[in-house]
Amino acid sequence: MKRHDDNLGPYWRVHNKLYDLSDFILKHPGGPDWLQFTKGIDITEAFEASHMRNVTKVEQILAKYYVKDIHTPRNSPYSFDDNGFYRTLKRRVDPILQQVGPGSS
């Protein structure tokens, strides 16, 4: 089970940082369920995939709940280097999303 493998206790991991999002659960725009279900695990992939726009604002909010850096390797085959595939895709998609909006058409 991922919670056992990640072994983060009461925290959430995003990249190489731990956060205590307990006070943010009820404020989360996507609703409280997702954060409640993911407590104690590495949510990096979900965080990256769910926050395509306004990344700077999201990271500022996340910084308020920072606990400490974590130095153990992530239990994931994916990386999110600034010049890697995923971050490059996000940079290219952002202007398009700004024009068409996030909803389906």
Side-chain angles (χ1 to χ4, degrees):
M1 183 159 117
K2 186 163 177 51
R3 188 174 324 283
H4 180 268
D5 291 345
D6 289 346
N7 193 25
L8 300 175
Y11 304 118
W12 291 259
R13 180 177 183 158
V14 178
H15 298 289
N16 292 321
K17 298 182 185 306
L18 291 182
Y19 299 91
D20 184 354
L21 301 173
S22 300
D23 291 339
F24 183 67
I25 289 174
L26 296 177
K27 300 174 190 173
H28 187 258
D33 293 342
W34 189 81
L35 287 178
Q36 289 171 336
F37 294 139
T38 59
K39 187 174 189 174
I41 65 172
D42 182 342
I43 59 169
T44 302
E45 288 84 3
F47 177 84
E48 288 284 342
S50 298
H51 301 100
M52 293 295 292
R53 299 189 64 213
N54 302 319
V55 175
T56 302
K57 180 180 176 184
V58 171
E59 288 175 345
Q60 289 172 344
I61 293 169
L62 191 61
K64 295 176 186 178
Y65 301 97
Y66 170 81
V67 174
K68 65 180 181 177
D69 287 355
I70 187 167
H71 302 289
T72 56
R74 292 183 59 242
N75 187 19
S76 173
Y78 306 108
S79 68
F80 296 94
D81 298 325
D82 284 337
N83 292 319
F85 172 79
Y86 196 79
R87 290 276 176 93
T88 300
L89 175 67
K90 283 176 81 167
R91 281 192 300 275
R92 291 180 181 177
V93 166
D94 187 56
I96 296 167
L97 288 177
Q98 288 182 27
Q99 286 180 344
V100 299
S104 61
S105 59

